[in-house]
Amino acid sequence: MHLKQKLDKAEFAYGTWSQTGSEEVLEILGYSGQFAFTIIDTEHGFYDLGHAENLVRAADASGISPIVRVTTNEPHLVTKALDIGAQGVLVPNIATAEAAQKFVAATRYAPRGNRGACPFVRSGHHLVTDWAEYATRASEDVFTMVLVEGAEGFENLEAIAKTEGLDALMIGPMDLTVSLGIGGQLDHPRLQQYIIDAVKICEANNVKFFLPNFFQTIEKATKATIEFRKLGVKYFTVGSDKLFLTAYMNQQHAALRDALVAA
């Protein structure tokens, strides 16, 4: 099922981040059946779009919808992300409506946008034989999401949310707390108020609101998710492949250490 269909049918959905660049780890995330999507992070993950293509293949194979996070809001990067088969694209550091419009235009073929056209791409099974059908379907299926991370973006949040063709808006809570002078305080009342305001703006403009949950323990992440749901949030990212690996290793180490001490 395509990501748009998953999210439209779900009252609540969450995904995670893929930063290690490991196809096997991404497949494990997919085969777990726990996540609707994963964000293949070419901004903070140390790999490029060439390698991201293999990660998209792993996502397709294991049934998890791939969203590619590009490094900057440049049409050629958006085109490449879609050409390799991403179901959605996330573009960071959006602060104005004009920037959001530039991004959305890069995700659609003419006449709806200016996405670069080529029939020999993975998204078209490497040989598009019916361009009209392919271009129409690709423009309709693509999932577009912007990441608002700073104070300027929040000042323009309503204008950004009104962008025609925009499916979703995500805020970057870590960057936002830094810009607000409350760096890292993810449970600060000022951040919670920003979330409430963002949820209302997105609902009013029929745009899905996504929120990363960056709490690093199961207890804190669970508590935060419950609290965010009360604020009206329906779509989350939870942890990352790096966090899951690190947390399990720490858990096992602690258990073995305690067992050895007890012995």
Side-chain angles (χ1 to χ4, degrees), residues 64-170:
I64 187 171
S65 292
I67 300 172
V68 170
R69 176 182 180 172
V70 295
T71 54
T72 56
N73 186 20
E74 293 297 335
H76 71 280
L77 297 178
V78 175
T79 292
K80 284 183 178 292
L82 293 174
D83 284 353
I84 64 177
Q87 292 185 21
V89 179
L90 170 64
V91 64
N93 298 316
I94 294 298
T96 66
E98 291 75 16
Q101 292 161 6
K102 173 184 174 181
F103 162 57
V104 171
T107 67
R108 266 78 172 186
Y109 291 112
R112 297 176 62 183
N114 54 32
R115 176 180 171 183
C118 177
F120 312 119
V121 291
R122 182 175 183 273
S123 59
H125 298 169
H126 302 288
L127 179 61
V128 177
T129 56
D130 185 341
W131 181 261
E133 186 277 333
Y134 166 76
T136 299
R137 175 170 46 82
S139 294
E140 291 176 351
D141 288 348
V142 62
F143 185 78
T144 56
M145 179 158 56
V146 297
L147 180 56
V148 177
E149 302 176 82
E152 182 185 2
F154 267 83
E155 291 176 2
N156 297 318
L157 199 67
E158 188 161 9
I160 292 170
K162 291 182 181 297
T163 302
E164 184 177 355
L166 182 67
D167 294 301
L169 187 151
M170 175 188 285

Side-chain angles (χ1 to χ4, degrees), residues 196-225:
I196 292 171
D197 293 343
V199 168
K200 290 179 179 178
I201 288 172
C202 288
E203 286 182 346
N205 290 281
N206 197 30
V207 170
K208 292 179 171 59
F209 177 74
F210 281 65
L211 182 67
N213 185 336
F214 285 136
F215 287 96
Q216 297 181 12
T217 67
I218 293 175
E219 294 77 17
K220 288 184 177 180
T222 301
K223 181 175 182 291
T225 299

